[in-house]
Amino acid sequence: MAQLKASLRPATAPPPEPIPVTLTVNGVERTLHLAPWTTLLDALRLHLDLTGTKKGCDHGQCGACTVLVDGRRINSCLTLAAMQDGRKVTTIEGLTTGDALHPLQEAFIEHDAFQCGYCTPGQICSAAGLIAEGKASTDDEIRELMSGNLCRCGAYPNIVAAIRQAMAAVATKAEGAP
Amino acid sequence: MRSFTYARADSAADAVGRAGASGTAFVAGGTNLLDLMKADVVHPERLVDISRLPLDRIEDTAEGGLRLGALARNADTAYDERVQTRYPMLSKAILAGASAQLRNMATNGGNLLQRTRCYYFYDTATPCNKREPGSGCGAIGGVNRIHAILGASDQCIAVHPSDLCVALAALEAVVQVTGPEGERSIPFAEFHRLPGDRPEIDTVLRPGDLITAIDLPAKGFAEHSTYLKIRDRASYAFALVSVAAGLEMDGGTVRDARLALGGVAHKPWRDPEAEAALIGKPATPDQFRGAARVLLRDAKGHEHNSFKIELAERAIVRALTEAAERKGAPRP
């Protein structure tokens, strides 16, 4: 493996200098020195030990790596950490408030919206993005706008139910807010 | 990924200047480029990050059209109120592509430059004239269900994968480019090229060229238009066939028409003769079928994709019927 990796690089070129990258991850500012090819996903998992965000396909097809950057959901496997320098990243670990679960986390438990759980952090971060975008109101719209998150266990009906419940909870909370 | 260096451009001129070195690629959304780099299909030595250049605005033009910044995200473009109201076909096309996460990352300029999803292009263990000129084509005589029925060559039968571009072709958008030799405007029909004997070249852009904007003319066919995408699953899949259709109606008669196909060729497929066949005629399925046959007259199937010819004909009739019936822009 080490040999294979070495053979992929031009023998004459020295490895590029690490790039300083500052990210505010779940409210905490972190500065890392990373190889240019470090994806945001690998920065979170390998350099910050935030292993809640999952690597599924690593090609933007499964959605397991979904995180929020400046409040918008993206595939963290298809962006370089250096490209997100200076931005705010929210992962599944950052959705709780103290010990209180996020309404989506509560709803996923209540509706049994997972089996193996591997896709769940991506599903929940994606759903948080979906609720913030405010473009879905029906189950069909939830399904369409969650189509970037695959669940091989097939928990889709329960995922839609959980998102619908959390969406209502967030709306009620917003209405009740001063 | 193979080793590369990373730098951020601080102006369009800086980006163009940096692109002079060979092996340099611009990165904006990164959704297609990083995927291709992971698959070792492309391996730039230098990445120049253009994503923070101020080219992300959507603005009205003096001619009554809309200028879409090259770096405006697909999602921001699709949900822009002016796009939804004046160019609903474009909004619908964008939302038919990719996933919500990808649309939040991917830029308009990048969408124009995305590469084919031909399996042989992605599989570095197989020959591909687009990936490695002269190595052969795995799709010709191989598995070619998703491949071209129009405009292909004996070297490449890949299709362009974009939805957005099909609508831009129908709308006669203009691509604004800046490069080492200054600025220029490229009509959309001339932007992408057919494979011919140089399938490795997708567009007429030259080394160092940077897309800055995409201009939409005033005419958006907002009242009578649609984008119809036929695919293997209900969402998040590339088109087998897609249709961008826009009509201008005078009662039951077609006054003007635009028709472009996706998923069938190396570029969005348009033919002025097919549109001319509709103008001045009643909006009936028979007339629509006639226009479809003009657009598809040179279609040629391969072992696994001949079904696309009839599928395209039926999709065109359905899209034009929907467009003719539609009154007013869909709700934003």
PDB file of all heavy atoms in Angstrom, chain B residues 220-245:
ATOM      1  N   GLY B 220     -38.052  34.173 -21.826  1.00  0.00           N
ATOM      2  CA  GLY B 220     -37.873  33.013 -20.954  1.00  0.00           C
ATOM      3  C   GLY B 220     -38.916  31.931 -21.118  1.00  0.00           C
ATOM      4  O   GLY B 220     -38.876  30.917 -20.444  1.00  0.00           O
ATOM      5  N   PHE B 221     -39.901  32.134 -22.024  1.00  0.00           N
ATOM      6  CA  PHE B 221     -40.976  31.157 -22.261  1.00  0.00           C
ATOM      7  C   PHE B 221     -41.644  30.759 -20.941  1.00  0.00           C
ATOM      8  O   PHE B 221     -41.998  29.599 -20.731  1.00  0.00           O
ATOM      9  CB  PHE B 221     -40.439  29.916 -23.000  1.00  0.00           C
ATOM     10  CG  PHE B 221     -39.923  30.222 -24.373  1.00  0.00           C
ATOM     11  CD1 PHE B 221     -38.600  30.631 -24.564  1.00  0.00           C
ATOM     12  CD2 PHE B 221     -40.756  30.160 -25.477  1.00  0.00           C
ATOM     13  CE1 PHE B 221     -38.120  30.946 -25.830  1.00  0.00           C
ATOM     14  CE2 PHE B 221     -40.284  30.464 -26.748  1.00  0.00           C
ATOM     15  CZ  PHE B 221     -38.962  30.859 -26.921  1.00  0.00           C
ATOM     16  N   ALA B 222     -41.813  31.761 -20.046  1.00  0.00           N
ATOM     17  CA  ALA B 222     -42.283  31.455 -18.690  1.00  0.00           C
ATOM     18  C   ALA B 222     -43.695  30.870 -18.686  1.00  0.00           C
ATOM     19  O   ALA B 222     -44.014  30.020 -17.860  1.00  0.00           O
ATOM     20  CB  ALA B 222     -42.230  32.715 -17.830  1.00  0.00           C
ATOM     21  N   GLU B 223     -44.533  31.299 -19.620  1.00  0.00           N
ATOM     22  CA  GLU B 223     -45.929  30.858 -19.565  1.00  0.00           C
ATOM     23  C   GLU B 223     -46.121  29.441 -20.076  1.00  0.00           C
ATOM     24  O   GLU B 223     -47.031  28.741 -19.650  1.00  0.00           O
ATOM     25  CB  GLU B 223     -46.811  31.820 -20.379  1.00  0.00           C
ATOM     26  CG  GLU B 223     -46.959  33.163 -19.705  1.00  0.00           C
ATOM     27  CD  GLU B 223     -48.112  33.968 -20.281  1.00  0.00           C
ATOM     28  OE1 GLU B 223     -48.678  33.541 -21.312  1.00  0.00           O
ATOM     29  OE2 GLU B 223     -48.411  35.010 -19.695  1.00  0.00           O
ATOM     30  N   HIS B 224     -45.304  29.036 -21.020  1.00  0.00           N
ATOM     31  CA  HIS B 224     -45.492  27.720 -21.631  1.00  0.00           C
ATOM     32  C   HIS B 224     -44.163  27.002 -21.773  1.00  0.00           C
ATOM     33  O   HIS B 224     -43.551  27.006 -22.839  1.00  0.00           O
ATOM     34  CB  HIS B 224     -46.152  27.865 -23.018  1.00  0.00           C
ATOM     35  CG  HIS B 224     -47.550  28.372 -22.956  1.00  0.00           C
ATOM     36  ND1 HIS B 224     -48.616  27.586 -22.595  1.00  0.00           N
ATOM     37  CD2 HIS B 224     -48.055  29.599 -23.182  1.00  0.00           C
ATOM     38  CE1 HIS B 224     -49.725  28.299 -22.609  1.00  0.00           C
ATOM     39  NE2 HIS B 224     -49.418  29.524 -22.965  1.00  0.00           N
ATOM     40  N   SER B 225     -43.710  26.439 -20.680  1.00  0.00           N
ATOM     41  CA  SER B 225     -42.447  25.714 -20.772  1.00  0.00           C
ATOM     42  C   SER B 225     -42.393  24.616 -19.728  1.00  0.00           C
ATOM     43  O   SER B 225     -43.158  24.616 -18.767  1.00  0.00           O
ATOM     44  CB  SER B 225     -41.264  26.674 -20.571  1.00  0.00           C
ATOM     45  OG  SER B 225     -41.307  27.221 -19.274  1.00  0.00           O
ATOM     46  N   THR B 226     -41.507  23.695 -19.938  1.00  0.00           N
ATOM     47  CA  THR B 226     -41.289  22.660 -18.926  1.00  0.00           C
ATOM     48  C   THR B 226     -39.932  22.011 -19.133  1.00  0.00           C
ATOM     49  O   THR B 226     -39.268  22.240 -20.153  1.00  0.00           O
ATOM     50  CB  THR B 226     -42.396  21.584 -18.967  1.00  0.00           C
ATOM     51  OG1 THR B 226     -42.342  20.819 -17.747  1.00  0.00           O
ATOM     52  CG2 THR B 226     -42.236  20.636 -20.146  1.00  0.00           C
ATOM     53  N   TYR B 227     -39.519  21.250 -18.136  1.00  0.00           N
ATOM     54  CA  TYR B 227     -38.338  20.395 -18.265  1.00  0.00           C
ATOM     55  C   TYR B 227     -38.762  19.010 -17.810  1.00  0.00           C
ATOM     56  O   TYR B 227     -39.200  18.816 -16.679  1.00  0.00           O
ATOM     57  CB  TYR B 227     -37.181  20.909 -17.402  1.00  0.00           C
ATOM     58  CG  TYR B 227     -35.912  20.116 -17.613  1.00  0.00           C
ATOM     59  CD1 TYR B 227     -35.151  20.281 -18.759  1.00  0.00           C
ATOM     60  CD2 TYR B 227     -35.490  19.167 -16.677  1.00  0.00           C
ATOM     61  CE1 TYR B 227     -34.005  19.537 -18.981  1.00  0.00           C
ATOM     62  CE2 TYR B 227     -34.336  18.421 -16.888  1.00  0.00           C
ATOM     63  CZ  TYR B 227     -33.600  18.608 -18.039  1.00  0.00           C
ATOM     64  OH  TYR B 227     -32.459  17.870 -18.260  1.00  0.00           O
ATOM     65  N   LEU B 228     -38.651  18.061 -18.697  1.00  0.00           N
ATOM     66  CA  LEU B 228     -39.068  16.692 -18.400  1.00  0.00           C
ATOM     67  C   LEU B 228     -37.838  15.798 -18.405  1.00  0.00           C
ATOM     68  O   LEU B 228     -37.082  15.780 -19.374  1.00  0.00           O
ATOM     69  CB  LEU B 228     -40.068  16.212 -19.476  1.00  0.00           C
ATOM     70  CG  LEU B 228     -40.496  14.744 -19.394  1.00  0.00           C
ATOM     71  CD1 LEU B 228     -41.281  14.459 -18.124  1.00  0.00           C
ATOM     72  CD2 LEU B 228     -41.324  14.376 -20.623  1.00  0.00           C
ATOM     73  N   LYS B 229     -37.652  15.078 -17.303  1.00  0.00           N
ATOM     74  CA  LYS B 229     -36.471  14.219 -17.195  1.00  0.00           C
ATOM     75  C   LYS B 229     -36.911  12.771 -16.979  1.00  0.00           C
ATOM     76  O   LYS B 229     -37.653  12.480 -16.047  1.00  0.00           O
ATOM     77  CB  LYS B 229     -35.610  14.697 -16.016  1.00  0.00           C
ATOM     78  CG  LYS B 229     -34.328  13.897 -15.823  1.00  0.00           C
ATOM     79  CD  LYS B 229     -33.457  14.514 -14.743  1.00  0.00           C
ATOM     80  CE  LYS B 229     -32.155  13.749 -14.589  1.00  0.00           C
ATOM     81  NZ  LYS B 229     -31.288  14.328 -13.551  1.00  0.00           N
ATOM     82  N   ILE B 230     -36.449  11.894 -17.848  1.00  0.00           N
ATOM     83  CA  ILE B 230     -36.763  10.471 -17.734  1.00  0.00           C
ATOM     84  C   ILE B 230     -35.499   9.758 -17.250  1.00  0.00           C
ATOM     85  O   ILE B 230     -34.438   9.875 -17.874  1.00  0.00           O
ATOM     86  CB  ILE B 230     -37.170   9.869 -19.105  1.00  0.00           C
ATOM     87  CG1 ILE B 230     -38.218  10.742 -19.802  1.00  0.00           C
ATOM     88  CG2 ILE B 230     -37.633   8.429 -18.952  1.00  0.00           C
ATOM     89  CD1 ILE B 230     -39.588  10.704 -19.219  1.00  0.00           C
ATOM     90  N   ARG B 231     -35.630   9.019 -16.153  1.00  0.00           N
ATOM     91  CA  ARG B 231     -34.442   8.364 -15.574  1.00  0.00           C
ATOM     92  C   ARG B 231     -34.832   7.041 -14.942  1.00  0.00           C
ATOM     93  O   ARG B 231     -36.006   6.729 -14.824  1.00  0.00           O
ATOM     94  CB  ARG B 231     -33.769   9.288 -14.563  1.00  0.00           C
ATOM     95  CG  ARG B 231     -34.750   9.924 -13.595  1.00  0.00           C
ATOM     96  CD  ARG B 231     -34.097  11.023 -12.766  1.00  0.00           C
ATOM     97  NE  ARG B 231     -35.107  11.971 -12.297  1.00  0.00           N
ATOM     98  CZ  ARG B 231     -34.858  12.955 -11.452  1.00  0.00           C
ATOM     99  NH1 ARG B 231     -33.653  13.151 -10.988  1.00  0.00           N
ATOM    100  NH2 ARG B 231     -35.813  13.774 -11.065  1.00  0.00           N
ATOM    101  N   ASP B 232     -33.825   6.298 -14.500  1.00  0.00           N
ATOM    102  CA  ASP B 232     -34.066   4.952 -13.997  1.00  0.00           C
ATOM    103  C   ASP B 232     -34.686   4.924 -12.609  1.00  0.00           C
ATOM    104  O   ASP B 232     -35.218   3.913 -12.197  1.00  0.00           O
ATOM    105  CB  ASP B 232     -32.756   4.150 -13.981  1.00  0.00           C
ATOM    106  CG  ASP B 232     -32.435   3.585 -15.372  1.00  0.00           C
ATOM    107  OD1 ASP B 232     -33.387   3.279 -16.100  1.00  0.00           O
ATOM    108  OD2 ASP B 232     -31.251   3.468 -15.704  1.00  0.00           O
ATOM    109  N   ARG B 233     -34.545   5.998 -11.826  1.00  0.00           N
ATOM    110  CA  ARG B 233     -35.241   6.062 -10.541  1.00  0.00           C
ATOM    111  C   ARG B 233     -35.847   7.447 -10.404  1.00  0.00           C
ATOM    112  O   ARG B 233     -35.530   8.347 -11.183  1.00  0.00           O
ATOM    113  CB  ARG B 233     -34.311   5.709  -9.379  1.00  0.00           C
ATOM    114  CG  ARG B 233     -33.084   6.555  -9.310  1.00  0.00           C
ATOM    115  CD  ARG B 233     -32.105   6.089  -8.226  1.00  0.00           C
ATOM    116  NE  ARG B 233     -30.961   6.990  -8.210  1.00  0.00           N
ATOM    117  CZ  ARG B 233     -29.735   6.639  -7.846  1.00  0.00           C
ATOM    118  NH1 ARG B 233     -29.477   5.413  -7.467  1.00  0.00           N
ATOM    119  NH2 ARG B 233     -28.755   7.529  -7.855  1.00  0.00           N
ATOM    120  N   ALA B 234     -36.696   7.612  -9.394  1.00  0.00           N
ATOM    121  CA  ALA B 234     -37.517   8.826  -9.328  1.00  0.00           C
ATOM    122  C   ALA B 234     -36.696  10.079  -9.072  1.00  0.00           C
ATOM    123  O   ALA B 234     -37.096  11.181  -9.443  1.00  0.00           O
ATOM    124  CB  ALA B 234     -38.580   8.661  -8.249  1.00  0.00           C
ATOM    125  N   SER B 235     -35.545   9.943  -8.422  1.00  0.00           N
ATOM    126  CA  SER B 235     -34.749  11.120  -8.077  1.00  0.00           C
ATOM    127  C   SER B 235     -33.276  10.756  -8.062  1.00  0.00           C
ATOM    128  O   SER B 235     -32.922   9.582  -7.939  1.00  0.00           O
ATOM    129  CB  SER B 235     -35.176  11.620  -6.684  1.00  0.00           C
ATOM    130  OG  SER B 235     -34.410  12.760  -6.325  1.00  0.00           O
ATOM    131  N   TYR B 236     -32.434  11.758  -8.170  1.00  0.00           N
ATOM    132  CA  TYR B 236     -30.991  11.583  -7.995  1.00  0.00           C
ATOM    133  C   TYR B 236     -30.415  10.533  -8.946  1.00  0.00           C
ATOM    134  O   TYR B 236     -29.775   9.565  -8.524  1.00  0.00           O
ATOM    135  CB  TYR B 236     -30.706  11.219  -6.529  1.00  0.00           C
ATOM    136  CG  TYR B 236     -29.289  11.467  -6.087  1.00  0.00           C
ATOM    137  CD1 TYR B 236     -28.442  12.294  -6.803  1.00  0.00           C
ATOM    138  CD2 TYR B 236     -28.791  10.865  -4.935  1.00  0.00           C
ATOM    139  CE1 TYR B 236     -27.150  12.507  -6.391  1.00  0.00           C
ATOM    140  CE2 TYR B 236     -27.502  11.072  -4.507  1.00  0.00           C
ATOM    141  CZ  TYR B 236     -26.681  11.896  -5.238  1.00  0.00           C
ATOM    142  OH  TYR B 236     -25.406  12.103  -4.823  1.00  0.00           O
ATOM    143  N   ALA B 237     -30.685  10.737 -10.234  1.00  0.00           N
ATOM    144  CA  ALA B 237     -30.092   9.885 -11.264  1.00  0.00           C
ATOM    145  C   ALA B 237     -29.929  10.735 -12.514  1.00  0.00           C
ATOM    146  O   ALA B 237     -30.658  11.713 -12.708  1.00  0.00           O
ATOM    147  CB  ALA B 237     -30.988   8.695 -11.554  1.00  0.00           C
ATOM    148  N   PHE B 238     -28.979  10.371 -13.354  1.00  0.00           N
ATOM    149  CA  PHE B 238     -28.783  11.098 -14.600  1.00  0.00           C
ATOM    150  C   PHE B 238     -29.888  10.741 -15.582  1.00  0.00           C
ATOM    151  O   PHE B 238     -30.512   9.686 -15.480  1.00  0.00           O
ATOM    152  CB  PHE B 238     -27.402  10.803 -15.181  1.00  0.00           C
ATOM    153  CG  PHE B 238     -26.312  11.412 -14.357  1.00  0.00           C
ATOM    154  CD1 PHE B 238     -25.613  10.663 -13.410  1.00  0.00           C
ATOM    155  CD2 PHE B 238     -26.012  12.761 -14.484  1.00  0.00           C
ATOM    156  CE1 PHE B 238     -24.633  11.243 -12.622  1.00  0.00           C
ATOM    157  CE2 PHE B 238     -25.032  13.340 -13.696  1.00  0.00           C
ATOM    158  CZ  PHE B 238     -24.341  12.585 -12.768  1.00  0.00           C
ATOM    159  N   ALA B 239     -30.110  11.634 -16.539  1.00  0.00           N
ATOM    160  CA  ALA B 239     -31.198  11.445 -17.499  1.00  0.00           C
ATOM    161  C   ALA B 239     -30.859  10.340 -18.490  1.00  0.00           C
ATOM    162  O   ALA B 239     -29.729  10.255 -18.975  1.00  0.00           O
ATOM    163  CB  ALA B 239     -31.454  12.749 -18.246  1.00  0.00           C
ATOM    164  N   LEU B 240     -31.846   9.502 -18.789  1.00  0.00           N
ATOM    165  CA  LEU B 240     -31.738   8.651 -19.978  1.00  0.00           C
ATOM    166  C   LEU B 240     -32.068   9.545 -21.173  1.00  0.00           C
ATOM    167  O   LEU B 240     -31.387   9.524 -22.189  1.00  0.00           O
ATOM    168  CB  LEU B 240     -32.722   7.490 -19.893  1.00  0.00           C
ATOM    169  CG  LEU B 240     -32.378   6.420 -18.854  1.00  0.00           C
ATOM    170  CD1 LEU B 240     -33.548   5.482 -18.644  1.00  0.00           C
ATOM    171  CD2 LEU B 240     -31.133   5.645 -19.275  1.00  0.00           C
ATOM    172  N   VAL B 241     -33.133  10.311 -20.987  1.00  0.00           N
ATOM    173  CA  VAL B 241     -33.553  11.317 -21.956  1.00  0.00           C
ATOM    174  C   VAL B 241     -34.156  12.460 -21.167  1.00  0.00           C
ATOM    175  O   VAL B 241     -34.868  12.224 -20.197  1.00  0.00           O
ATOM    176  CB  VAL B 241     -34.629  10.739 -22.917  1.00  0.00           C
ATOM    177  CG1 VAL B 241     -35.282  11.855 -23.720  1.00  0.00           C
ATOM    178  CG2 VAL B 241     -34.044   9.695 -23.849  1.00  0.00           C
ATOM    179  N   SER B 242     -33.854  13.693 -21.535  1.00  0.00           N
ATOM    180  CA  SER B 242     -34.566  14.816 -20.935  1.00  0.00           C
ATOM    181  C   SER B 242     -34.935  15.806 -22.033  1.00  0.00           C
ATOM    182  O   SER B 242     -34.313  15.821 -23.100  1.00  0.00           O
ATOM    183  CB  SER B 242     -33.719  15.488 -19.847  1.00  0.00           C
ATOM    184  OG  SER B 242     -32.624  16.155 -20.418  1.00  0.00           O
ATOM    185  N   VAL B 243     -35.974  16.597 -21.743  1.00  0.00           N
ATOM    186  CA  VAL B 243     -36.485  17.541 -22.743  1.00  0.00           C
ATOM    187  C   VAL B 243     -36.706  18.901 -22.094  1.00  0.00           C
ATOM    188  O   VAL B 243     -37.402  19.001 -21.084  1.00  0.00           O
ATOM    189  CB  VAL B 243     -37.843  17.070 -23.323  1.00  0.00           C
ATOM    190  CG1 VAL B 243     -38.287  17.998 -24.463  1.00  0.00           C
ATOM    191  CG2 VAL B 243     -37.777  15.631 -23.795  1.00  0.00           C
ATOM    192  N   ALA B 244     -36.115  19.931 -22.666  1.00  0.00           N
ATOM    193  CA  ALA B 244     -36.458  21.305 -22.305  1.00  0.00           C
ATOM    194  C   ALA B 244     -37.335  21.835 -23.428  1.00  0.00           C
ATOM    195  O   ALA B 244     -36.935  21.811 -24.596  1.00  0.00           O
ATOM    196  CB  ALA B 244     -35.203  22.155 -22.153  1.00  0.00           C
ATOM    197  N   ALA B 245     -38.546  22.255 -23.061  1.00  0.00           N
ATOM    198  CA  ALA B 245     -39.490  22.715 -24.081  1.00  0.00           C
ATOM    199  C   ALA B 245     -40.038  24.075 -23.698  1.00  0.00           C
ATOM    200  O   ALA B 245     -40.415  24.294 -22.555  1.00  0.00           O
ATOM    201  CB  ALA B 245     -40.635  21.713 -24.231  1.00  0.00           C
TER     202      ALA B 245
END
